[in-house]
């Protein structure tokens, strides 16, 4: 660049503005900050065209550092992939300042990584992993749109909306809760139902729609899940069994000693590196071969004690204490259609009974609230006015909940009708496709039968004509040997005609069977599609009912708690007034005024009447 500028100055071709611009460009190219900004903005383009910049022959050349150029390209590609998104990169990291966690030793180790081609079991394991990873990626992309359509307007875990969080993410649920790895479980079920080599996208989508459960999670709950994963295996200092000096015994004593909880420390963590360094220094100081034979025996005994500890003790067995997990284990149940129908009916009746009992409890609570409210007199508001107003507020709130329930059930009925109409349209469409396929089958069968009949008639006429010719020759020829020969030929023609007719019938029957089998397979596909749609329709209806019922039950339960609290206070207040005779303890002047108001009210009502 300097030579170019000097030549332009000598010849006089460049202008002052162009020279200044070229000087600034040269200064920018020599600036580290400009290079990092260029990489940050143009990293996708560089990664995309990096392969095009190198030819296969040039990749085998030796670079300035004495290594093949292909290794240098790999390092550049790895560095570009880690720009701004590295493992140790944070939001406040600067691109022009290197991290303390990354040293030249790590770079040297990475450069000298073994690049020998894999063989044997290692190659097989790598191929299996690559196949599963590709399959997982393809299957995930195939159902990404389906998962996104099931995104709700609130978090399934905490019911937060977009107004209370930053983002809402649609995902899959497993065992009733959001699970980012539920797709792996679904792929395993898919492979168990069909085969590990099955990779049909349409079949996977149908299976996914039938078995997938969806969940929407906010960024707050997602962060909490990540924090729980980080702290799941952490054991804080001092936690566990408290050990006293008398609790520690030698290895030669009995096994009834204090067992510490297993401590899990990651080797890559600070604690793991510190413990590894301490262990190495201790072994060097002690000397000898490690691990020692006695240490291995102690470890085996410790593991045996841990196994015995996990089993139920004799004391627990003697008093009849059972393991809850073993007592609640049902195992695998093989049910026929009748038994499955009985269980389904029982489940439906149990749900209906639960709803009926809850509705009866709601009606009883409202009746009890009205009875207690009627026990309060407006004229006693000087003493119980606040409690009566609180009861009236609860009554109004209960009426609003009832109206909201009626409105929600009306909306639910409309949405259920819409779902029913949609499933009816789907059923009609599937029936129409089935009927169209059946009409095509009937037309194909009719065409085959017509062609076969024509072929048989043409062949029969041809053979009959030959037989007639032989008969005419036989009648004209008086030789016995000639007549016998003609008769044999005619018999052979009759046998040939019969064999050809049977072969034609067999071919026709095979073609008919093939078309019928194709129609049967197509009908099975339609039946599976219809069954999948019906199951999805039932799940959608059940989800809609449960959601509507859940909203009402939540409001009703909270309202009943407040009502029960108020009823308890009101009942105790009424009992105290009846027991202490609070009505007779009213001051005389105030009682006289109340009597006058009652008399005046009765007189006014009598005059109006």
């Amino acid at each position: 660049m300097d030579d170019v500028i000097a030549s332009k100055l000598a010849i006089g071709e460049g202008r002052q503005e162009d020279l200044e611009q070229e000087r600034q460009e040269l200064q920018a190219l020599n600036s580290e900050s400009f290079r990092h900004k260029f990489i940050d903005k143009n990293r996708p383009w560089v990664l995309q065209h990096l392969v095009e910049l190198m030819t296969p022959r040039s990749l085998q050349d030796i670079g300035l550092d004495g290594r093949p150029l292909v290794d240098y390209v790999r390092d550049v590609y790895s560095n570009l992939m880690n720009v701004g998104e590295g493992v140790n990169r944070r939001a406040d990291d600067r691109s022009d300042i290197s991290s303390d966690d990354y040293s030249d030793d790590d770079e040297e180790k990475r450069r000298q990584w073994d690049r020998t081609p894999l063989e044997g079991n290692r190659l097989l394991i790598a191929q299996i992993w690559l196949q599963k990873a590709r399959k997982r990626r393809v299957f995930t992309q195939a159902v990404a749109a389906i998962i996104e359509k099931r995104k709700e307007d609130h978090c399934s875990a905490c019911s937060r909306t977009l107004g209370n969080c930053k983002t809402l993410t649609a995902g899959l649920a497993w065992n009733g809760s959001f699970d980012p790895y539920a797709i792996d479980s679904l792929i395993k079920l898919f492979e168990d139902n069909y085969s590990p080599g099955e990779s049909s996208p349409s079949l996977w989508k149908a299976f996914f729609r039938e078995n997938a459960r969806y969940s929407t999670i906010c960024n707050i709950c997602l962060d909490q899940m990540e924090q729980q994963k980080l702290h799941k295996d952490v054991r804080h200092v001092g936690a566990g069994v408290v050990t006293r000096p008398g609790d520690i015994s030698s290895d030669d004593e009995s096994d009834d000693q204090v067992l510490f909880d297993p401590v899990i420390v990651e080797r890559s963590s600070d604690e793991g590196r510190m413990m590894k360094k301490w262990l190495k220094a201790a072994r060097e100081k002690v000397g000898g071969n490690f691990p020692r034979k006695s240490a291995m025996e102690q470890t085996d005994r410790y593991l045996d004690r841990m196994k015995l500890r996990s089993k139920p003790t004799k004391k627990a067995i003697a008093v009849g204490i059972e393991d809850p997990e073993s007592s609640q284990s049902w195992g695998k149940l093989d049910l026929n259609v009748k038994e499955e129908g009985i269980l389904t009916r029982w489940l439906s009746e149990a749900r209906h009974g639960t709803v009926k009992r809850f509705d009866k409890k709601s009606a009883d609570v409202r009746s009890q609230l009205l009875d207690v409210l009627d026990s309060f007199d407006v004229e006693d508001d000087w003493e119980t006015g606040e409690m009566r107003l609180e009861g009236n507020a609860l009554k109004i709130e209960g009426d609003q909940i009832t109206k909201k329930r009626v409105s929600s059930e009306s909306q639910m009925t409309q949405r259920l009708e819409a779902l029913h109409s949609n499933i009816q349209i789907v059923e009609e469409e599937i029936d129409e496709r089935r009927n169209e396929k059946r009409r095509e089958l009937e037309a194909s069968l009719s065409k085959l039968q017509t062609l076969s009949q024509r072929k048989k008639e043409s062949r029969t006429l041809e053979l009959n004509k030959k037989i007639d010719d032989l008969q005419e020759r036989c009648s004209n020829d008086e030789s016995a040997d000639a007549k016998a020969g003609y008769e044999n030929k005619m018999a052979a023609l009759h046998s040939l005609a019969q064999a050809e007719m049977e072969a034609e019938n067999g071919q026709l029957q095979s073609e008919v069977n093939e078309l019928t089998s194709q129609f049967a397979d197509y009908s099975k596909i339609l039946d599976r599609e219809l069954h999948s749609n019906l199951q999805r329709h039932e799940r959608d209806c059940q989800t809609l009912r449960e959601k509507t019922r859940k909203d009402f039950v939540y409001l009703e339960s909270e309202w009943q708690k407040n009502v029960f609290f108020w009823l308890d206070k009101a009942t105790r207040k009424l009992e105290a007034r009846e027991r202490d005779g609070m009505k007779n303890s009213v001051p005389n002047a105030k009682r006289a005024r109340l009597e006058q108001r009652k008399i005046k009210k009765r007189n006014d009502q009598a005059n109006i009447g």
Side-chain angles (χ1 to χ4, degrees):
M1 183 64 70
D2 293 335
D3 296 338
V4 174
I5 296 174
S7 63
K8 288 185 177 182
L9 287 172
I11 300 173
E13 294 179 354
R15 293 179 300 174
Q16 189 66 26
E17 294 81 0
D18 296 337
L19 294 176
E20 182 65 21
Q21 183 178 359
E22 291 176 358
R23 187 187 64 79
Q24 293 177 0
E25 291 177 355
L26 178 61
Q27 184 179 1
L29 290 175
N30 295 327
S31 174
E32 288 293 330
S33 60
F34 174 79
R35 292 180 180 180
H36 288 291
K37 290 181 181 179
F38 177 82
I39 290 297
D40 290 338
K41 292 184 179 180
N42 301 281
R43 183 168 61 94
W45 185 91
V46 175
L47 289 173
Q48 183 178 359
H49 296 82
L50 183 61
V51 181
E52 302 175 0
L53 299 177
M54 301 295 176
T55 61
R57 181 179 300 175
S58 63
L59 291 176
Q60 303 301 326
D61 296 340
I62 303 299
L64 298 177
D65 55 354
R67 297 183 303 130
L69 189 59
V70 63
D71 295 340
Y72 174 76
V73 174
R74 286 198 188 101
D75 295 341
V76 171
Y77 183 83
S78 178
N79 293 333
L80 289 174
M81 290 296 294
N82 294 328
V83 168
E85 299 179 359
V87 178
N88 298 324
R89 193 70 179 265
R90 300 187 301 272
D92 56 348
D93 285 348
R94 290 179 54 184
S95 57
D96 55 343
I97 299 178
S98 60
S99 175
D100 295 335
D101 298 334
Y102 189 78
S103 61
D104 295 337
D105 296 337
D106 297 334
E107 177 69 17
E108 186 64 25
K109 290 179 181 179
R110 187 172 64 84
R111 287 180 178 178
Q112 302 193 4
W113 186 270
D114 187 14
R115 294 183 174 87
T116 305
L118 299 177
E119 296 179 357
N121 294 332
R122 294 184 178 182
L123 178 59
L124 181 61
I125 292 172
Q127 290 176 347
I128 293 174
W129 178 88
L130 181 61
Q131 181 182 2
K132 289 184 175 294
R134 286 175 175 172
K135 187 174 184 179
R136 186 183 190 276
R137 183 179 182 183
V138 172
F139 277 15
T140 304
Q141 291 177 353
V143 298
I146 301 175
I147 298 175
E148 190 64 25
K149 288 181 180 178
R150 294 303 184 105
K151 183 178 180 180
E152 299 181 354
D153 57 352
H154 64 279
C155 179
S156 302
C158 62
S159 300
R160 288 188 178 94
T161 58
L162 279 176
N164 300 324
C165 62
K166 290 184 179 180
T167 58
L168 289 175
T169 305
L172 297 176
W174 193 257
N175 294 330
S177 60
F178 180 85
D179 188 359
Y181 306 106
I183 188 70
D184 298 326
S185 303
L186 289 174
I187 292 175
K188 186 177 183 303
L189 288 177
F190 177 76
E191 293 178 347
D192 294 340
N193 290 340
Y194 296 96
S195 66
E198 182 62 46
S199 59
S200 175
S202 58
L203 189 61
W204 159 246
K205 287 182 181 179
F207 178 84
F208 183 82
R209 289 191 182 97
E210 182 178 353
N211 296 275
R213 298 294 180 270
Y214 307 95
S215 177
T216 304
I217 190 170
C218 64
N219 60 306
I220 300 175
C221 295
L222 196 60
D223 293 341
Q224 292 178 357
M225 290 177 58
E226 295 297 333
Q227 292 294 332
Q228 291 176 2
K229 289 181 182 179
L230 292 175
H231 300 288
K232 182 172 63 174
D233 295 330
V234 174
R235 181 177 181 268
H236 298 284
V237 178
V241 181
V242 180
T243 307
R244 298 167 297 177
D247 295 331
I248 302 175
S249 59
S250 64
D251 296 333
D252 298 333
E253 297 178 359
S254 64
D255 292 337
D256 297 333
Q257 55 181 308
V258 176
L259 296 177
F260 295 95
D261 293 334
V263 180
I264 300 174
V265 180
E266 296 183 2
R267 296 179 181 270
S268 59
S269 62
D270 296 338
E271 295 83 1
R273 290 197 297 266
M274 181 179 64
M275 294 175 65
K276 185 177 179 180
K277 185 176 181 181
W278 175 88
L279 179 62
K280 183 178 179 180
R283 286 178 174 178
E284 290 178 354
K285 185 175 182 180
V286 173
N289 298 325
F290 292 93
R292 302 290 175 83
K293 185 177 180 180
S294 58
M296 298 176 66
E297 294 176 355
Q298 293 177 8
T299 303
D300 293 337
R301 286 199 299 270
Y302 178 77
L303 293 176
D304 293 337
R305 289 196 299 271
M306 291 295 294
K307 292 178 182 178
L308 293 174
R309 184 186 182 187
S310 62
K311 295 180 180 180
T313 60
K314 296 181 180 180
K315 182 178 180 180
I317 297 174
V319 298
I321 300 177
E322 296 182 356
D323 187 7
E325 295 182 357
S326 61
S327 62
Q328 296 178 2
S329 177
W330 290 83
K332 184 178 180 180
L333 299 177
D334 296 330
L335 304 177
N336 53 28
V337 178
K338 186 176 180 180
E339 294 171 345
E340 187 176 354
I342 293 174
L343 287 178
T344 305
R345 182 179 177 183
W346 175 86
L347 181 61
S348 177
E349 292 180 354
R351 288 175 176 173
H352 182 70
T354 303
V355 173
K356 190 175 180 181
R357 288 192 297 271
F358 188 83
D359 293 342
K360 185 178 182 300
K361 180 181 177 182
S362 301
D364 294 341
V365 170
R366 282 169 171 76
S367 176
Q368 189 176 0
L369 176 63
L370 292 177
D371 293 340
V372 176
L373 276 177
D374 293 339
S375 301
F376 289 100
D377 194 354
V378 180
E379 297 175 353
D380 296 332
D381 282 354
W382 62 274
E383 181 183 3
T384 60
E386 183 178 357
M387 187 170 293
R388 186 180 65 83
L389 292 176
E390 185 179 355
N392 285 328
L394 289 173
K395 178 179 175 299
I396 294 173
E397 184 180 357
D399 296 338
Q400 292 177 352
I401 292 175
T402 303
K403 291 180 181 179
K404 187 175 181 179
R405 177 189 179 184
V406 173
S407 176
S408 300
E409 290 180 350
S410 176
Q411 294 178 1
M412 180 191 68
T413 304
Q414 294 178 359
R415 296 182 63 180
L416 288 176
E417 291 177 356
L419 291 175
H420 288 311
S421 62
N422 291 336
I423 196 63
Q424 288 178 359
I425 293 174
V426 172
E427 291 178 352
E428 292 175 358
E429 181 183 355
I430 293 177
D431 292 339
E432 181 63 26
R433 289 161 59 187
R434 194 193 307 273
N435 293 333
E436 184 179 357
K437 194 69 175 179
R438 185 180 288 108
R439 288 192 293 268
E440 293 178 359
L441 174 66
E442 293 175 355
S444 300
L445 292 178
S446 177
K447 185 177 180 180
L448 285 175
Q449 292 175 356
T450 302
L451 293 176
S452 178
Q453 186 65 26
R454 290 178 181 177
K455 187 176 180 180
K456 288 191 293 185
E457 290 177 355
S458 176
R459 185 59 177 167
T460 303
L461 290 175
E462 182 182 355
L463 294 176
N464 288 336
K465 185 177 180 181
K466 291 182 179 181
I467 292 172
D468 292 341
D469 292 341
L470 292 174
Q471 286 180 353
E472 184 177 356
R473 292 179 184 178
C474 181
S475 61
N476 294 332
D477 197 344
E478 296 179 356
S479 176
D481 295 336
K483 288 183 177 181
Y486 288 133
E487 289 178 356
N488 291 333
K489 290 181 179 180
M490 287 188 291
L493 289 175
H494 283 296
S495 300
L496 178 61
Q498 185 177 0
E500 288 183 356
M501 295 302 106
E502 291 178 355
E504 182 65 25
N505 291 332
Q507 183 178 359
L508 175 63
Q509 186 63 36
S510 63
E511 292 178 356
V512 169
N513 292 337
E514 183 179 359
L515 291 175
T516 307
S517 176
Q518 292 178 0
F519 176 76
D521 295 339
Y522 187 76
S523 298
K524 289 181 181 179
I525 294 175
L526 292 179
D527 292 338
R528 188 161 59 233
E529 183 179 354
L530 178 61
H531 180 67
S532 177
N533 287 311
L534 289 175
Q535 284 189 338
R536 185 169 66 253
H537 168 71
E538 292 177 359
R539 287 199 304 268
D540 292 341
C541 294
Q542 184 66 24
T543 302
L544 181 59
R545 295 191 188 96
E546 290 178 355
K547 184 178 180 180
T548 305
R549 184 71 186 177
K550 183 180 179 180
D551 296 338
F552 164 71
V553 169
Y554 175 76
L555 295 175
E556 181 71 18
S557 300
E558 294 297 326
W559 178 76
Q560 287 183 9
K561 290 179 183 178
N562 297 330
V563 170
F564 286 142
F565 181 73
W566 181 85
L567 287 175
D568 182 60
K569 292 193 303 181
T571 303
R572 286 189 282 107
K573 185 68 173 179
L574 291 174
E575 290 177 353
R577 291 182 69 246
E578 291 178 358
R579 184 174 57 253
D580 298 337
M582 292 299 296
K583 289 187 177 181
N584 296 328
S585 63
V586 179
N588 294 329
K590 195 165 188 177
R591 184 171 58 184
R593 288 196 299 271
L594 291 175
E595 292 294 336
Q596 291 177 2
R597 291 176 184 174
K598 290 181 180 179
I599 294 172
K600 185 178 180 181
K601 185 176 181 181
R602 285 197 295 268
N603 294 333
D604 294 340
Q605 291 177 355
N607 294 331
I608 293 173

